[in-house]
Amino acid sequence: MDKFVIEGGKPLKGTLPVSGAKNASLPLMAAAILAPGIHTIENVPRLRDVRTMAHLLRIIGARIDFEDGPSSVPSLVIDTSDCSFCEAPYELVKTMRASIYVLGPLLARFGKVRVSLPGGCAWGPRPVDLHIMGMEKLGAQIEFEDGYIVASAEKLRGDTISFPIRSVGATGNVMMAACLAEGTTILQNAACEPEIVALAQFINAMGGHVKQAGSDQIVIEGVDQLHPAKFQNIPDRIEAGTFLSAVATTGGDVTLTNLRSDHLSVVLDGLERAGFSLEIQDTSVKIQSEGRAYPVDMKTAPYPGFPTDMQAQWIALMSLADGSCTMTDTIYTNRFTHVAELQRLGADIRVEGNTALIRGVEQLKGAPVMSTDIRASASLIIAGLAAEGRTDLSRVYHIDRGYERIEEKLRLIGADIRREDEPLQV
Ligand code: UD1
């Protein structure tokens, strides 16, 4: 199993391009099922979750290849002409919950689908009841068989669906099902994330009629069929936020390019309130950091609020702040497994309910720590880069799920981080 070895304390300097968004790539890839033919999705990151989704699409019958596009930004070419196997097996769904994104497209195109229930998660319960409720409202019959959701419908019919809470996954999944349904579907209390807007734009590029994506009410006029399309994926706002937090925490002067600063407003605002100097353009942000952050209280919320996927990285930044502050996660109330690992590096953090109380310390000290999920790993890399001495981060397969060659990218801006093969301990 691989581990990262980080020698901390080196300021970060230079320019770094941001990759395509993981959380947009996965539903975009699933959406290609909706229209038989050859699709091209540009700016897809080469990371483990993308490979898992590609594996799932191949099981369903698609052909998928990466091609290097302009300035070696990778494109994914997906041929969904021969899809026929309408199933997402447990072996894949248990490794990546986003596999559930094939539920809507397979149901819409073939009228039947079997998708394994994802099961538990390290952050606590992550149910899929809203995905199922949405499919039922569109007229699907749902049964549960041997741990699988079995859905069928001769023809889906549009309806008004009001979500009790905002869910990115359920909004995207139901949008994909509704675009081939008969009549109009209205999604109320829909997720407004940029990844949902990108998905709607891809559906429209395929000939669909999705309106008002990005607001909390999305209107979808069903069409009889869709055609294949070419689409450019959006930049990864969480990868951008992670690198900005790394520079802020460690110190340095870095320009991130290939991003959308309008997708990062609340994170950029937080960094400015924490005292960091930013030069913000539409597609780039330059950050300079010379000293400790001012403490800034933060609370996660659905977009445009502060992303739960940036919560762990913000805690790493605030663990070295000049004072005390809180971080409350209102979306995943148990998502704090990184706190115990940050404590191993000397951070002073206490968790009460869904709030972390962070007392900034003057210095962190390197130590062996362990990844527990994608963003927890990112926070430990940030803390390791800022800490004095050596940090060994094990189980880095978590970070490979969501970040493209993170250690190579960080080395480009001067970080001392390398990947090593960790011998199995018996
Ligand atoms: C997506 C992101 C994930 C991010 C999360 C919240 C992907 C692949 N993953 O996950 O990185 O942390 O959004 O921004 O894009 N819920 C229900 N029932 C459901 C579905 C969700 O109760 O059927 C709840 C969840 O438990 C959670 C909240 O709704 O409390 C939001 O979850 P949701 O937006 O659905 O997250 P995901 O789409 O799974």
Side-chain angles (χ1 to χ4, degrees), residues 23 126-131 165 167-169 308-309 331-332 335:
N23 285 352
R126 287 180 73 186
V128 290
D129 55 317
L130 302 178
H131 300 242
I165 47 175
S167 158
V168 181
T308 173
D309 284 352
I331 297 175
Y332 293 109
R335 194 180 187 177

Side-chain angles (χ1 to χ4, degrees), residues 173-378:
N173 224 340
V174 179
M175 188 199 290
M176 289 189 275
C179 68
L180 285 176
E182 198 176 290
T184 304
T185 299
I186 299 175
L187 303 182
Q188 294 175 335
N189 201 23
C192 307
E193 269 70 0
E195 293 75 19
I196 293 293
V197 177
L199 178 60
Q201 287 169 342
F202 182 43
I203 292 171
N204 290 344
M206 290 191 276
H209 290 165
V210 181
K211 291 178 224 142
Q212 295 167 220
S215 77
D216 62 0
Q217 176 158 300
I218 301 178
V219 179
I220 306 145
E221 310 278 357
V223 295
D224 287 340
Q225 56 181 25
L226 297 168
H227 54 77
K230 187 172 184 172
F231 187 73
Q232 185 167 42
N233 186 25
I234 55 173
D236 197 314
R237 62 197 169 98
I238 305 300
E239 188 198 42
T242 301
F243 288 139
L244 289 169
S245 306
V247 181
T249 314
T250 308
D253 183 342
V254 169
T255 303
L256 295 182
T257 58
N258 294 10
L259 52 69
R260 288 264 313 250
S261 54
D262 57 329
H263 292 169
L264 280 160
S265 302
V266 68
V267 175
L268 298 177
D269 178 61
L271 287 166
E272 281 180 331
R273 282 194 287 141
F276 299 104
S277 147
L278 302 180
E279 279 174 36
I280 303 170
Q281 311 290 338
D282 290 350
T283 60
S284 70
V285 175
K286 179 179 161 79
I287 178 165
Q288 284 174 303
S289 160
E290 281 167 8
R292 300 170 70 184
Y294 296 126
V296 177
D297 293 337
M298 205 55 97
K299 192 184 265 194
T300 68
Y303 190 84
F306 190 88
T308 173
D309 284 352
M310 278 296 301
Q311 179 256 95
Q313 300 89 313
W314 193 261
I315 289 182
L317 170 62
M318 288 300 142
S319 69
L320 282 163
D322 190 10
S324 301
C325 61
T326 59
M327 164 53 91
T328 302
D329 199 326
T330 67
I331 297 175
Y332 293 109
T333 51
N334 289 326
R335 194 180 187 177
F336 289 107
T337 51
H338 41 287
V339 166
E341 300 298 312
L342 289 170
Q343 283 166 345
R344 293 181 49 74
L345 299 174
D348 183 352
I349 309 169
R350 207 171 71 239
V351 176
E352 279 180 15
N354 65 341
T355 297
L357 312 163
I358 309 147
R359 242 189 267 160
V361 296
E362 277 192 32
Q363 186 60 267
L364 296 174
K365 287 225 164 60
V369 288
M370 193 174 77
S371 287
T372 47
D373 70 53
I374 304 174
R375 310 305 171 187
S377 318

Side-chain angles (χ1 to χ4, degrees), residues 1-5 396 418-425:
M1 249 192 287
D2 287 356
K3 69 171 180 178
F4 284 153
V5 177
V396 299
R418 63 180 188 275
R419 187 182 289 257
E420 280 187 2
D421 198 14
E422 188 174 45
L424 269 182
Q425 307 284 331

